[in-house]
Amino acid sequence: MHGQPRRPKQPEDDAAAAAKAAKLRELQVQVLHNHHTYTYTEEALGLSFKLLEINPEAYTAWNYRKLALQHNLKELSDPEAIKSTVDNELRVVELALRQNPKSYGAWYHRKWLLNQKLAPVDFKREYGLLDKLLKVDARNFHGWNYRRFLAKFMGVPEEKELQYTMDKISENFSNYSAWHNRSILLSNLLIQQSEGFESKQKIFSEEFELVIQALFTDPSDQSGWFYHLWLLAQTSTPDNPQLISSWPSNGAKLSLCSARKNEDQNMVSSPSSICCYSLKEGIIPIVLYFNDPVKGLNPTNVKLNSDFVFDKDLQWRPLVITDSGYSNCWATYLEIRNKDCSTSQQFSVEVSIPCPDDIMSRSGSHCNCPVHFTFTIELGNNNDEAHDTDLFHDPISWSSSESFQSHGKPSCVAFDQLNITSALVQEESRWNLDRLSDEIDLFRDLPDENSKFAKLTLARLLLACAAIKSRGSSLIERKGYCEEALGFFSDLINLDPSHKRYYEDERSLVLMDQLTCDMETFMKYCSVQVRSNSATLNHVQLCRLSLTRIGFTERMLWVQMLDLSHNKLRSIEGLEALQQLVCLNISNNQISSFTSLEPLTKIVSLKALDLSFNEIGAHPIDTTRYMCSSPFSHKVERCEAFEECRKKSVNVEEFWDAILFFKSVNLVQLDIKGNAVADKDSFATVVMTLSPSLKWLDGTCIH
Amino acid sequence: MGEEGELAAEKHVRYIVTAEKKKDSFESLVMEHLRASGAYWGLTTLDLLHKLHAVDAAEVVDWIMSCYHPESGGFGGNVGHDPHVLYTLSAVQVLCLFDRLDVLDADKIADCILLQIFNITGLQNEDGSFSGDIWGEVDTRFSYISICTLSLLHRLHKINVDKAVEYIVSCKNLDGGFGAMPGGESHAGQIFCCVGALAITGSLHHIDRDLLGWWLCERQCRDGGLNGRPEKLADVCYSWWVLSSLIIIDRVHWIDKEKLAKFILNCQDKENGGISDRPDNAVDIYHTYFGVAGLSLMEYPGVKPMDPAYALPLDVVNRIFLTKQQ
C-alpha cells in the first residue's frame, strides 16, 4: 500500500467498505471456481475482467484468461474473429493498466499476447499506449521495459531509439530512465561500430557536452551526474591491462637472512640482497601485479627459466577473496627441494611473458606489453644456523624501542630494487588528459559552488588525471592532483555528513597514493628492523593516519613487517598481495569480524598478527559474511574443523567464522585482547584447537 | 506505548496477529492472492521481535501445505491459486522459520526433491534466466527466488549455476546496478535480487562494489529515508532492499544509519501498530516487515539480526547451513 494517508476509521465508511469488499470477495470466488472447472464462457470471462479491473495483481485471473484464450481460439479460424478476440484482450490489459500502471501481471499479459503472434500487431496502438503512460510517469520502468521489448520485437534500429532518449531528455533533463537507456544504446552502438559510431572519442566528446548542459541547468539533479560518472569512467580506464609491479623485482637478489653473516652492526643488512623468510621452508612466491583485474595466466604463457630445478607445472593463482578467475594480483610458489646443500649456491630465475595476448581483462581487452625480468636466489650456507632462525624466540613487540636492537635506515640498494614506479607502463593518452583537463576547468566555473556532486566530480576528475600521470614520469603533477582532491574530500565531509564515511574511504585511498607514490616520501615510513638474533625485516609503519581502507599495495609487495595500528581500518582488502609479510599489526582499528580478515589467509608467510583492540565479536550484523568463503555462499561445503571443534563442545553456529579463519592461518604469535570475541568462553578453545604452532597468545608463552 | 522515537514492538506484534484475522476487509482481499508472502512478512517480523510463539506453528504449516500443488511442485499465493516461484519461496521461508522443512522431505527421496516435488529446475531457460511459472515471464527476481529456494533446500547443484550467474551479470548496468532483464533500469529491489543471488552462489566478484555502493548510498534522501531510484521519494521498503545490498557488498557504513532509523520509527502507527511507507500514511504488513527488518540490519536493540541474502533471521540461516547434515 503506497501513498495512502493514515486516517482514523469513520463509521459511515463501514457500510460502503463492506459492500465493496463483499463484491470483491464474490468475484474472487467465482473466478477461481471458473478456473478450476475450466469454464471459459463469455460470461465467465467477463467476471475475470471485472476482477482484474479492480485488482490487476490477481495473477491467477491472468493465467485463467490465457487458458481461456488458448481454449477459445481452437474454435476460431476466421482471421477477423481472431483479431477481435486479441483486441479485446489488449483492451482488458489497457483498463487494468489504467487502474495500476505498474502491474507486473498486466504488462506481462500484453507481452505474452504479442509473442503468440496471433494477429498483426498494431504498432501505432502500442506506441500510443506507451506515450500516454510515459507522459503520466516518465520514469515508469515497466513502460521503458515494454518499449525495449517492442523495439526488439519489431527490429527498430538502435539509432532511432537513441533519438527517442534525446527527445525525452530535451523535454526534461531530470529523467534518469532516459539517460540510462541512452547509456545502454550507446554502448551497443559503439561495440558494434555502427555507422557514425566508429570514433569513441567523437561520441564521448558530444555526450560530455550534452550532459554538461544538463548539469549546468540543474546541478542538484542526480540523473546527469550519474551519466557524467559513466562517461568519466569510460575515459579514464586503461585501454589494455599491464603489469605494473612484481615480486621479486627485476635484478633482485634473494637470500635467507644474509644479515646473519655479518656481525657488524653498522652493516645491518647486506646491501646486495633481500631476506626471504619463506626460503626457510623452501618456498619462494612470485607475485605479478596488473593495473586491471586479468585472467589467463598459466605455465604456457608465463615462462620460467632457471638453472635451478623445480617443478615445471607451476600453477598461477589469482590472489582474491572470491575465486573469480580475475585478479590484479597473481602468484605462484617456487619450491626449492634440494636446499640441504652445504655450500652456498646462486641461481638465477628468469620470468617472461613473451606473448601476453591470452591475458585478458574483464572488458575483454588483451595485455599487449611483453614482460621480462630476472632475479637471483642465494641459497645460504646452512651451517650458519640460518635454517633455524627463530624469529619468535621472543614475542615480536611493536614498540620499536623494546625489541629491536637497531633501527636502521633502509639500505639504498635493496630499496632501489623495489621498483615503486614502474617503467613498464605505456605513455599516457593525450586525448584523455585533454578531455579531463577541459572538464576540470568547466566544473571549477559551475555557479553553485556548494553542489556536492560538482565537488565530488572534480575530485574524481583530478584523480583520473593523477592515475594517467603515473604512466609517465610526472610524479610532481600527480601529487598536486592528489593534494587538491584531498581538499575536496575534506569539504565534502562537512558539506554532506550523511555520506561522511564514503568520503573518508575515498580520501584514505588518495592518502595512501600520496604517501607511497614516490621513493622520497615513502622512505619516511620505511625502515629495516633487526631482531635480537640479528634477523632483519623490511618494515613499513603507517600508523595514526586515519586510514579506513588500504590501497596501492602493488608498491609494498616487499614488506615483511607492516604496522597499520591506530587507524580507522574496517577492511584490509588488498593485503593479500603482500606475500612476504611475516608480521602484521592492525591493533586499534575498527576490524569487526574474522570474515573480513580472509585476505590474511592467502599470505602463507604470516606468523605474527596483532588484532588487539578492534571490534571483533561486537556486531551481530557481519558486513563481510558474503565477501568470504562460507557455507552460505556454497564456497565451503564440508569443513573438518567444524567437526573437530564440535567435539570440544564449541558452538559452531556461533564461532564458524573464527573456525574458518584459524584453520587457514598458521600463526606463531597472536594478540587479540580488547575484542568482544576474546571474552567468550569457547573462543580460546577454537584458537588452541586450530593453531598448533601458536607460541605467544596476548603476550603469554603457551608452548 | 513506546516513547517518542522508540520501536513500538508490542503494538506491531498485536497489529500483525490481529491483521491475520481480518480476512474480510477490502485491503486484505486485494492481497488475498499473495497471502503466502503475507504470512512470510508477518511471521518473520514476529520472529525478529522474539514473538514467533504467538502463533500456532502446526496451524500455519498446515495452511502453507494447503497452498501446495503436488502435480507441479510449486506453491500458490493462497488456497486455490496457481503455483508460482514467488510464493514457493515464501512458503519455504515460512517452513524454515518453524524448522519444519521436514514436511517437504516426507518422501525421504532427498535427491529427487526438486525434480519430483518442486520442479524448479524446469523453470530455468537456455540463457540461464528463470521464469516465474509456466507462462514464461522472465525477471531477475525469479533468478533470486529460484536460487534462494534451492539453496535453502540444499539443492543448488540441481541447476546450472554458472549459466544462472551469467544471465544475472548480463543485467548489470553502467551505474553498477541491475535491472529486471538485460537493458532494464537499475532499481533497488532488483539490485537486491541480483546481489542476493550472486552472494548465495559465491559470485560477488562480478560486482563493482565501490560503484554500486555509491549509487546505493546516494539513495538516502534528505529526510533520512531511502529511495529505490534516483530522484524518487523515500519509502520504508527500501530500507530492506538498499540496506541488505549494501551489507552484502560491505558498504553499509556509507549511509547515515541514525537518520534512517529515525525515518523508519517516524513511519510507525504508534496507536494501532504497524509501519507505513512514509510518515503518516496507512500501515500494512509489507512495510511493517521491511521497517523492522531494516532496523534489524542496523542492529537495533531488541530486534534479532537478519541474514541479508536469505532474508531470514540469522539464527535460522545458521541453523540450516551449519547444523550437521544427515
Side-chain angles (χ1 to χ4, degrees), chain B residues 126-144:
Chain B
E126 277 287 298
D127 60 359
S129 65
F130 286 84
S131 303
D133 60 13
I134 53 162
W135 296 106
E137 183 180 10
V138 166
D139 190 311
T140 45
R141 286 181 301 149
F142 307 146
S143 295
Y144 165 75

Side-chain angles (χ1 to χ4, degrees), chain A residues 1-6 20-21 24-25 28 32 35-36 54-55 57-60 63 66-67 70 102 104 108 111-112 137 139-141 145 148 174 176-177 180-181 183-184 187 220-223 226 229-230 322-324 362 452-453 456 460 496 498-499 501-503 505-506 549 570-571 573 619-627 631-635 642-643 646 652-653 656, chain B residues 23-24 26-27 29-30 32-33 76-77 80-82 84 87 133 135-137 139 141 151 156 173-175 181 183-185 187 199-202 204-205 209-211 214-215 217-219 229-232 235 237 247-248 250-256 259 267-269 276-277 280-284 287 296-297 299 305-310 314-315 317-319 321-324:
Chain A
M1 211 178 299
H2 285 99
Q4 304 256 354
R6 189 183 302 164
K20 220 168 92 178
L24 181 57
R25 155 76 54 207
Q28 284 173 343
L32 283 183
H35 182 41
H36 296 147
I54 301 172
N55 184 12
E57 288 299 285
Y59 71 101
T60 304
N63 294 348
K66 290 187 187 78
L67 287 169
Q70 287 176 339
K102 294 182 175 178
Y104 283 99
Y108 182 67
K111 283 188 194 171
W112 179 83
D137 177 6
R139 297 287 307 283
N140 184 337
F141 69 85
N145 282 343
R148 280 183 287 267
S174 173
Y176 191 86
S177 307
H180 157 75
N181 211 28
S183 73
I184 295 274
S187 309
S220 66
D221 187 84
Q222 290 196 348
S223 318
F226 280 103
L229 176 74
W230 172 61
T322 44
D323 228 356
S324 61
R362 277 219 177 92
K452 73 166 195 185
F453 281 103
L456 181 59
R460 286 176 172 170
D496 180 20
S498 288
H499 297 110
R501 298 183 70 186
Y502 166 67
Y503 303 122
D505 276 357
E506 291 296 279
R549 68 202 285 199
R570 48 182 308 291
S571 161
E573 262 176 73
H619 295 280
I621 298 289
D622 176 4
T623 59
T624 39
R625 182 175 166 95
Y626 285 95
M627 291 313 305
F632 318 109
S633 59
H634 299 273
K635 291 284 163 191
F642 286 164
E643 290 316 310
R646 237 176 233 130
V652 172
E653 288 179 35
W656 66 271
Chain B
K23 285 183 192 166
D24 284 326
F26 185 76
E27 288 74 17
L29 286 169
V30 171
E32 189 237 28
H33 65 279
H81 283 266
D82 287 353
H84 194 285
Y87 313 108
D133 60 13
W135 296 106
E137 183 180 10
D139 190 311
R141 286 181 301 149
S151 180
L156 195 58
N173 290 318
L174 302 147
D175 51 24
M181 54 205 76
E185 183 182 342
H187 175 290
I200 291 171
T201 54
L204 290 173
H205 51 270
R209 290 183 288 139
D210 282 347
L211 183 64
W214 180 61
W215 190 92
C217 83
E218 279 297 331
R219 300 303 102 241
R229 291 189 286 161
E231 303 301 327
K232 290 274 185 182
D235 179 325
C237 68
I247 287 172
I248 291 174
D250 192 22
R251 293 293 178 272
V252 74
H253 58 294
W254 286 356
I255 62 154
D256 186 335
K259 274 175 85 174
C267 293
Q268 299 179 99
D269 182 337
S276 53
D277 58 343
D280 300 320
N281 279 352
V283 302
D284 58 58
H287 287 94
S296 156
L297 292 179
E299 306 180 337
M306 278 279 260
D307 181 286
Y310 291 96
L314 207 59
D315 58 347
V317 176
N318 285 356
R319 184 178 65 212
F321 291 99
L322 296 170
T323 309
K324 214 168 144 185

Side-chain angles (χ1 to χ4, degrees), chain A residues 348-364:
Chain A
S348 79
V349 181
E350 183 185 2
V351 182
S352 64
I353 312 180
C355 306
D357 291 13
D358 313 347
I359 297 172
M360 245 198 312
S361 75
R362 277 219 177 92
S363 60

Side-chain angles (χ1 to χ4, degrees), chain A residues 296-316:
Chain A
L297 280 88
N298 55 52
T300 14
N301 55 26
V302 188
K303 310 264 185 223
L304 284 176
N305 279 313
S306 174
D307 39 1
F308 188 75
V309 188
F310 48 78
D311 193 352
K312 288 285 175 199
D313 284 325
L314 282 177
Q315 288 307 307
W316 285 88

Side-chain angles (χ1 to χ4, degrees), chain B residues 50-252:
Chain B
H50 306 275
K51 287 281 163 22
L52 191 59
H53 53 80
V55 294
D56 181 338
E59 205 179 294
V60 174
V61 172
D62 281 352
W63 180 77
I64 284 285
M65 290 315 286
S66 68
C67 299
Y68 180 55
H69 291 250
E71 68 289 353
S72 73
F75 284 82
N78 203 334
V79 183
H81 283 266
D82 287 353
H84 194 285
V85 290
L86 276 165
Y87 313 108
T88 305
L89 174 61
S90 292
V92 168
Q93 283 170 319
V94 168
L95 295 174
C96 287
L97 287 176
F98 292 108
D99 198 10
R100 289 300 309 276
L101 283 177
D102 61 302
V103 295
L104 300 176
D105 211 348
D107 295 331
K108 294 281 177 201
I109 315 168
D111 201 41
C112 297
I113 190 163
L114 271 164
L115 284 167
Q116 298 196 348
I117 305 179
F118 274 86
N119 197 30
I120 290 169
T121 38
L123 297 177
Q124 189 174 21
N125 304 314
E126 277 287 298
D127 60 359
S129 65
F130 286 84
S131 303
D133 60 13
I134 53 162
W135 296 106
E137 183 180 10
V138 166
D139 190 311
T140 45
R141 286 181 301 149
F142 307 146
S143 295
Y144 165 75
I145 287 169
S146 306
I147 286 170
C148 186
T149 308
L150 288 171
S151 180
L152 288 170
L153 296 170
H154 301 293
R155 293 297 180 281
L156 195 58
H157 56 275
K158 294 269 173 185
I159 54 161
N160 185 337
V161 173
D162 290 343
K163 272 256 176 224
V165 167
E166 201 179 298
Y167 180 77
I168 293 168
V169 173
S170 76
C171 300
K172 184 161 78 170
N173 290 318
L174 302 147
D175 51 24
F178 294 84
M181 54 205 76
E185 183 182 342
S186 299
H187 175 290
Q190 225 77 45
I191 289 172
F192 162 77
C193 290
C194 294
V195 172
L198 293 178
I200 291 171
T201 54
S203 313
L204 290 173
H205 51 270
H206 289 290
I207 296 176
D208 183 337
R209 290 183 288 139
D210 282 347
L211 183 64
L212 176 59
W214 180 61
W215 190 92
L216 286 169
C217 83
E218 279 297 331
R219 300 303 102 241
Q220 187 157 34
C221 305
R222 268 175 214 285
D223 55 16
L226 300 167
N227 63 20
R229 291 189 286 161
E231 303 301 327
K232 290 274 185 182
L233 285 178
D235 179 325
V236 160
C237 68
Y238 294 112
S239 308
W240 169 264
W241 307 120
V242 175
L243 269 179
S244 58
S245 306
L246 279 170
I247 287 172
I248 291 174
I249 63 168
D250 192 22
R251 293 293 178 272
V252 74

